[in-house]
Amino acid sequence: MRKTLKGGLVMAATAGVIILGGAGAAMAEGNAAPAPDPTATEGSVTLDPGTGDVTAQGTKNVGGGTWNYGSNRVQDYGWSDYYHPTNCHGSSARSGRHYAADHGVAAKRWSEATVTKDGTVKVYWTNKC
């Protein structure tokens, strides 16, 4: 059974299992998230993977480079890695009293910052030095 609910949510029931999906249904209808600002020189994301064996992570093309970030609840760490092909750049991560940074990284190399998780993790990137 498949039924579309108000707001674009899709509900599927198979053998007594109900699955609700919002973002996928919205994107299928053409409501995609806005494209990243190509002129941005820095950015951040706050990650809270909640409870259980959950990993919150993402990869984005931002500021002319590639940003890979995440927070792993099982191993209790967060990371922010950024690659830029032409600029000096950096990345950092903060969680509670813990902070890690890798700045002043040359073009065509990855900056890598990994922090011990102490609550919510906030990760950052910059494409300038």
Side-chain angles (χ1 to χ4, degrees), residues 14-15 27 35 68-69 74 93 123:
T14 305
M27 292 185 80
N68 179 277
Y69 59 87
V74 176
V123 292

Side-chain angles (χ1 to χ4, degrees), residues 90-104:
S91 59
S92 55
R94 178 178 301 279
S95 182
R97 66 184 184 278
H98 301 288
Y99 177 77
D102 189 12
H103 290 283

Side-chain angles (χ1 to χ4, degrees), residues 42-47 58-70 79-84 90-92 110-111 122-126:
E42 59 189 26
S44 66
V45 170
T46 300
L47 304 169
T59 300
K60 295 182 179 181
N61 293 320
V62 293
T66 302
W67 184 33
N68 179 277
Y69 59 87
W79 74 91
S80 178
D81 301 339
Y82 186 64
Y83 174 89
H84 201 283
S91 59
S92 55
W110 282 92
S111 63
K122 188 158 185 181
V123 292
Y124 307 83
W125 67 271
T126 181

